[in-house]
Amino acid sequence: MAEKASPPNSYSLRAYAGVIALVGLLVLIGSGITYFLNPAWAAQTQIGAGIGAALLLTAAFLRPEAIRAALTGRQVKYASNAAVKSLAFIGILGLINFLVVKYEWEYDLTETGQFTLSEQTMQILQQLDRPVEVIGFFQNSDPRLKLANDYLERYRHYSDRLLVEFHDPEIEPILAEKYELSNYGLVFVSGDNRYETSGVDEQSITSGLVRVTNNADRNVYFITGHGEHSLNDGAEEGYSQVKQALEQEGYRVETLNLAASETIPADATVLVLAGADRELLNTEVKLVEDWLTAGGKLMLLVDPLEPAPLAGMLKTYGLALGNDFVIEDANYSLVTLGPDGLVPQIIAPLIYQYPYHEITRSLNGFQSFYPMARSITITPIEGIGKITWPLLSTSAGSWAETDLETAQPEYTPDVDLVGPLHLAAAAEDIENGVRLAVFGDAGFVTNQNASPQWANLDLFVNTVDWLAEEEDLISIRPKSPTNRNLFLTSMQITVTILTTLIIIPLAVLIAGLGLWWKRR
């Protein structure tokens, strides 16, 4: 019996079934990309998906034997193996994700430990002895909402006394008014203490915890009137970063002109004299000495070539400021980049190993430098209760240059002191509670030298903490994250999106289809 011939039109269309299937597949992929870029199920996306599906069904109707062969052929076997492997891979990823979520396991792989809380923050959280409410007031579109939530989740790992909640002040204005909200941000409440900040970084949050859980007033007074570094000066030689760092630790920072005062303020916790260019008046010296003898806490920072104040009082603690400036071995000096390359600055000692003391116990391994420092001599003293410690020491290759006019320092035997030399020291009188810290350099914490890359500012704040008898706060402060943002122009953004989302996937797809067409 003769086989019935197919109509001429049907035969013609069968020859183009493969092309119709390819066009239908491309139309479907195009619709999928359109939906990915704009998740709204737009009319053009629906039409494209319908046309693509219709073309694929038409191709299948014209060549049903090809579909059957494809479903039972070797390709299906290989595709099945690939599908099983893909499902196994997805299953392993899902299992890992489940275990991580269930057991809250975290490991910070960032170079700077960006997602790890500092030692200081963990210490404060572990010592919380009362509940602290942290109420975040942000609009849902505010990017700070996610940052604050991420940080506070980490904080809650270390203390169950932290109660955290978030609200939108636009939706709940009465609640915002109840907490006396003045700006969007975080409000800390513990008992009658309240503190508000717009910052959502670790330093702002930790500072908020310290402020609402510490009932004692802690006031740091900086003596003025003798050319000292200004707390309000934001220029390179100013101390504005010192002021900011202390305020973030919960201190109230004030200035004090001794010439216009009859007494040291009764609420003074720590007194600081930093970089005085002129001698103190006798009345000023008496005020400071009387206050210190009564149990005061003093921090003294004195540059080389400047008057050495309070020498008599320092002598009673076995301390003396040298009339010199320190020259360090080139291997232990700060290296700067000059026109001719890297140059060691031998007048700027670099220190990363510190004698043990409460002030320096968390600083070993962290670098600090001293642009120009004078030596401090520590002499053993007789007397019960008085103790002195070195805080900073130079290498054995250093010396104290006593020729203050020379531009080419050179060690002079029997005249210049040979290293190791002390650049800073602390003293305490246990009987009357006096605490004293002396630095032979006042420039190491000016704004230009207070970069987070150095431990200079940490050392300064640690010293104030020790003087204020707040040893629990002594550690490395949270570091600001390194700025690794990549800024692109509109054209660069468009090229990046087209290349990564469309051109490369499409090229891979076309290559795969071409290979399939060749092997079919």
Side-chain angles (χ1 to χ4, degrees):
M1 187 176 187
E3 187 178 351
K4 188 178 180 180
S6 300
N9 288 342
S10 174
Y11 178 80
S12 300
L13 286 175
R14 279 170 57 85
Y16 294 99
V19 176
I20 294 172
L22 178 59
V23 172
L25 186 60
L26 291 176
V27 171
L28 269 182
I29 292 172
S31 301
I33 294 174
T34 305
Y35 180 76
F36 177 77
L37 296 176
N38 181 16
W41 191 237
Q44 60 269 29
T45 305
Q46 297 181 42
I47 293 172
I51 293 175
L55 290 173
L56 285 175
L57 289 173
T58 302
F61 176 77
L62 294 172
R63 295 287 300 274
E65 71 281 3
I67 301 299
R68 283 196 298 272
L71 293 175
T72 58
R74 187 176 54 182
Q75 291 86 349
V76 171
K77 180 181 177 181
Y78 292 150
S80 300
N81 290 338
V84 170
K85 291 178 181 176
S86 299
L87 289 174
F89 180 70
I90 294 172
I92 292 171
L93 290 181
L95 179 61
I96 293 174
N97 188 60
F98 169 77
L99 292 174
V100 169
V101 171
K102 182 175 178 61
Y103 296 101
E104 298 182 348
W105 181 82
E106 293 182 350
Y107 189 79
D108 190 351
L109 295 174
T110 58
E111 179 186 0
T112 58
Q114 185 178 348
F115 301 104
T116 302
L117 298 180
S118 69
E119 179 187 344
Q120 181 196 30
T121 294
M122 290 187 281
Q123 186 176 315
I124 289 170
L125 287 169
Q126 289 163 357
Q127 294 177 352
L128 273 184
D129 57 358
R130 70 192 75 172
V132 178
E133 290 182 77
V134 184
I135 307 101
F137 287 99
F138 302 99
Q139 290 182 296
N140 291 331
S141 59
D142 193 331
R144 293 178 301 165
L145 173 60
K146 184 178 185 309
L147 285 174
N149 189 43
D150 290 346
Y151 264 120
L152 289 168
E153 279 297 318
R154 287 176 221 147
Y155 276 61
R156 293 176 67 181
H157 285 307
Y158 296 94
S159 175
D160 57 4
R161 295 180 181 274
L162 209 58
L163 309 174
V164 180
E165 55 187 81
F166 290 93
H167 301 276
D168 187 337
E170 297 291 330
I171 299 175
E172 301 177 82
I174 297 177
L175 185 66
E177 185 177 350
K178 173 187 172 184
Y179 284 99
E180 302 175 359
L181 186 70
S182 62
N183 201 356
Y184 292 178
L186 296 172
V187 177
F188 297 78
V189 179
S190 182
D192 295 331
N193 295 335
R194 176 192 172 281
Y195 174 71
E196 178 182 331
T197 177
S198 59
V200 294
D201 55 279
E202 184 184 351
Q203 196 153 12
S204 298
I205 296 173
T206 302
S207 176
L209 291 176
V210 171
R211 285 172 181 260
V212 297
T213 56
N214 195 330
N215 291 323
D217 291 332
R218 301 182 301 163
N219 304 303
V220 181
Y221 282 87
F222 282 74
I223 297 173
T224 61
H226 316 87
E228 295 87 349
H229 295 283
S230 171
L231 294 170
N232 298 316
D233 185 358
E236 291 183 347
E237 293 299 318
Y239 261 32
S240 62
Q241 290 199 44
V242 167
K243 180 182 181 183
Q244 181 182 4
L246 291 175
E247 289 178 339
Q248 287 175 338
E249 291 285 307
Y251 292 99
R252 190 167 67 89
V253 181
E254 300 286 350
T255 57
L256 176 65
N257 189 330
L258 293 174
S261 305
E262 295 182 359
T263 60
I264 304 294
D267 62 355
T269 308
V270 176
L271 202 60
V272 180
L273 178 61
D277 291 337
R278 298 181 181 179
E279 295 274 7
L280 272 64
L281 301 173
N282 290 336
T283 54
E284 295 174 321
V285 172
K286 179 172 174 51
L287 273 177
V288 174
E289 290 184 345
D290 288 350
W291 180 77
L292 194 65
T293 304
K297 315 289 189 293
L298 175 67
M299 185 174 184
L300 198 59
L301 301 96
V302 188
D303 284 318
L305 314 179
E306 302 295 347
L310 305 169
M313 183 271 296
L314 292 179
K315 186 177 180 180
T316 64
Y317 288 89
L319 303 175
L321 288 159
N323 189 25
D324 50 38
F325 62 95
V326 174
I327 302 298
E328 179 57 285
D329 186 309
N331 295 319
Y332 298 93
S333 301
L334 177 69
V335 175
T336 60
L337 181 60
D340 300 325
L342 299 176
V343 181
Q345 303 294 326
I346 58 174
I347 63 168
L350 180 70
I351 292 177
Y352 50 89
Q353 294 294 327
Y354 304 81
Y356 182 80
H357 187 267
E358 284 293 320
I359 294 173
T360 58
R361 62 181 165 82
S362 62
L363 293 178
N364 272 317
F366 294 93
Q367 299 178 121
S368 61
F369 72 96
Y370 303 87
M372 190 175 185
R374 63 200 302 168
S375 67
I376 296 175
T377 304
I378 301 177
T379 305
I381 52 176
E382 296 181 359
I384 300 174
K386 289 185 177 180
I387 310 170
T388 56
W389 302 269
L391 297 178
L392 300 170
S393 298
T394 59
S395 72
S398 62
W399 81 88
E401 178 61 59
T402 53
D403 184 357
L404 303 181
E405 304 294 333
T406 182
Q408 299 294 330
E410 185 175 353
Y411 174 66
T412 306
D414 301 327
V415 177
D416 297 333
L417 288 176
V418 66
L421 304 167
H422 303 309
L423 305 183
E428 182 175 9
D429 189 334
I430 298 175
E431 289 188 346
N432 60 12
V434 172
R435 286 191 174 186
L436 176 65
V438 185
F439 287 79
D441 181 15
F444 77 100
V445 283
T446 54
N447 293 333
Q448 63 179 334
N449 299 322
S451 165
Q453 296 170 318
W454 300 99
N456 297 22
L457 198 55
D458 291 310
L459 176 62
F460 185 96
V461 178
N462 281 0
T463 305
V464 174
D465 287 338
W466 178 74
L467 290 169
E469 301 181 358
E470 296 281 2
E471 285 89 344
D472 290 342
L473 296 177
I474 295 176
S475 70
I476 294 295
R477 271 77 211 165
K479 302 299 182 189
S480 301
T482 303
N483 186 0
R484 299 184 187 278
N485 290 332
L486 176 63
F487 297 98
L488 301 177
T489 64
S490 299
M491 177 61 73
Q492 291 170 328
I493 292 173
T494 303
V495 170
T496 302
I497 291 175
L498 288 175
T499 303
T500 57
L501 297 182
I502 297 177
I503 295 177
I504 293 178
L506 193 59
V508 172
L509 177 64
I510 292 174
L513 289 173
L515 188 61
W516 168 78
W517 183 264
K518 184 177 180 182
R519 290 182 175 177
R520 71 188 172 88

XYZ file of all heavy atoms in Angstrom, residues 326-329 332 346 349 393-401 411 417-423:
185
model
N 64.787 63.449 70.897
C 65.214 62.060 70.713
C 65.514 61.778 69.245
O 64.738 62.137 68.359
C 64.127 61.100 71.227
C 64.489 59.650 70.899
C 63.942 61.283 72.727
N 66.669 61.134 69.008
C 67.042 60.642 67.677
C 66.955 59.122 67.711
O 67.573 58.473 68.554
C 68.476 61.078 67.306
C 68.590 62.610 67.337
C 68.842 60.534 65.937
C 67.692 63.322 66.351
N 66.183 58.563 66.815
C 65.962 57.115 66.825
C 66.781 56.439 65.722
O 67.122 57.056 64.698
C 64.465 56.844 66.640
C 64.040 55.386 66.610
C 64.462 54.618 67.860
O 65.658 54.301 67.977
O 63.570 54.323 68.679
N 67.103 55.171 65.945
C 67.743 54.347 64.901
C 66.834 54.339 63.669
O 65.613 54.262 63.788
C 67.909 52.926 65.459
C 68.695 52.036 64.513
O 68.337 51.988 63.323
O 69.650 51.388 64.971
N 63.969 51.964 63.347
C 62.820 52.106 64.252
C 62.199 53.498 64.138
O 61.628 54.006 65.094
C 63.245 51.834 65.695
C 63.765 50.435 65.906
C 65.133 50.158 65.802
C 62.895 49.385 66.173
C 65.630 48.867 65.974
C 63.381 48.088 66.357
C 64.735 47.847 66.254
O 65.202 46.556 66.415
N 64.462 60.164 61.375
C 65.089 59.713 62.621
C 64.669 60.539 63.832
O 64.953 60.155 64.963
C 66.628 59.720 62.492
C 67.124 61.127 62.127
C 67.082 58.698 61.450
C 68.654 61.244 62.131
N 60.395 58.722 66.325
C 60.423 57.310 66.737
C 59.104 56.608 66.411
O 58.029 57.183 66.573
C 60.643 57.388 68.256
C 61.247 58.730 68.490
C 60.663 59.633 67.460
N 59.074 53.436 75.120
C 60.532 53.357 75.175
C 61.079 53.192 73.764
O 60.497 52.473 72.949
C 60.982 52.179 76.044
O 60.530 52.356 77.378
N 62.197 53.834 73.496
C 62.837 53.746 72.180
C 63.814 52.568 72.158
O 63.996 51.860 73.148
C 63.579 55.054 71.871
O 64.571 55.274 72.901
C 62.626 56.225 71.839
N 64.489 52.384 71.023
C 65.431 51.269 70.868
C 66.784 51.604 71.495
O 67.055 52.758 71.853
C 65.611 50.969 69.382
O 66.377 52.001 68.783
N 67.638 50.584 71.568
C 68.985 50.795 72.119
C 69.841 51.667 71.199
O 70.848 52.228 71.622
C 69.673 49.446 72.332
N 69.438 51.817 69.954
C 70.210 52.623 69.010
C 69.850 54.099 69.028
O 70.372 54.880 68.225
N 68.980 54.516 69.906
C 68.546 55.922 69.965
C 69.439 56.704 70.925
O 70.179 56.142 71.720
C 67.090 56.008 70.408
O 66.947 55.483 71.714
N 69.350 58.020 70.858
C 69.996 58.875 71.845
C 69.224 60.178 71.984
O 68.407 60.526 71.124
C 71.456 59.122 71.501
C 71.728 60.187 70.473
C 71.906 61.521 70.695
C 71.871 60.009 69.055
N 72.138 62.185 69.517
C 72.143 61.286 68.483
C 71.803 58.911 68.214
C 72.318 61.476 67.127
C 71.999 59.108 66.859
C 72.248 60.365 66.328
N 69.508 60.898 73.069
C 68.850 62.178 73.332
C 69.790 63.304 72.938
O 70.803 63.551 73.612
C 68.463 62.289 74.808
N 69.515 63.990 71.853
C 70.366 65.064 71.334
C 70.164 66.321 72.175
O 69.054 66.850 72.280
C 70.007 65.348 69.881
C 70.786 66.481 69.250
C 72.275 66.213 69.235
O 72.690 65.201 68.644
O 73.016 67.015 69.849
N 75.629 61.929 67.833
C 75.766 61.497 69.218
C 77.080 61.991 69.809
O 78.150 61.820 69.214
C 75.698 59.966 69.302
C 75.977 59.434 70.678
C 75.104 59.708 71.742
C 77.114 58.677 70.918
C 75.364 59.230 73.014
C 77.380 58.189 72.186
C 76.506 58.473 73.237
O 76.769 58.004 74.497
N 72.356 61.394 76.317
C 71.903 60.124 76.881
C 71.721 59.113 75.761
O 71.243 59.441 74.674
C 70.562 60.303 77.606
C 70.562 61.044 78.944
C 69.133 61.189 79.451
C 71.413 60.287 79.958
N 72.135 57.875 76.033
C 72.004 56.825 75.042
C 70.782 55.963 75.373
O 70.401 55.809 76.527
C 73.297 55.973 74.988
C 73.513 55.192 76.278
C 73.291 55.046 73.787
N 70.169 55.415 74.316
C 68.946 54.643 74.474
C 69.156 53.305 75.150
O 70.299 52.883 75.339
N 68.083 52.599 75.521
C 66.690 53.001 75.310
C 66.285 54.198 76.176
O 66.718 54.323 77.325
C 65.888 51.765 75.731
C 66.869 50.638 75.781
C 68.176 51.239 76.086
N 65.462 55.051 75.612
C 64.979 56.243 76.303
C 63.468 56.141 76.498
O 62.781 55.477 75.729
C 65.297 57.496 75.483
C 66.761 57.718 75.125
C 66.886 58.804 74.058
C 67.574 58.093 76.364
N 62.976 56.820 77.506
C 61.527 56.838 77.750
C 60.936 58.113 77.141
O 61.455 59.214 77.334
C 61.233 56.810 79.249
C 61.832 55.622 79.935
N 61.655 54.341 79.480
C 62.623 55.521 81.044
C 62.303 53.491 80.263
N 62.912 54.189 81.224
N 59.817 57.932 76.416
C 59.108 59.081 75.834
C 57.851 59.427 76.616
O 57.276 60.499 76.420
C 58.722 58.782 74.378
C 59.846 58.365 73.431
C 59.290 58.197 72.023
C 60.970 59.376 73.455
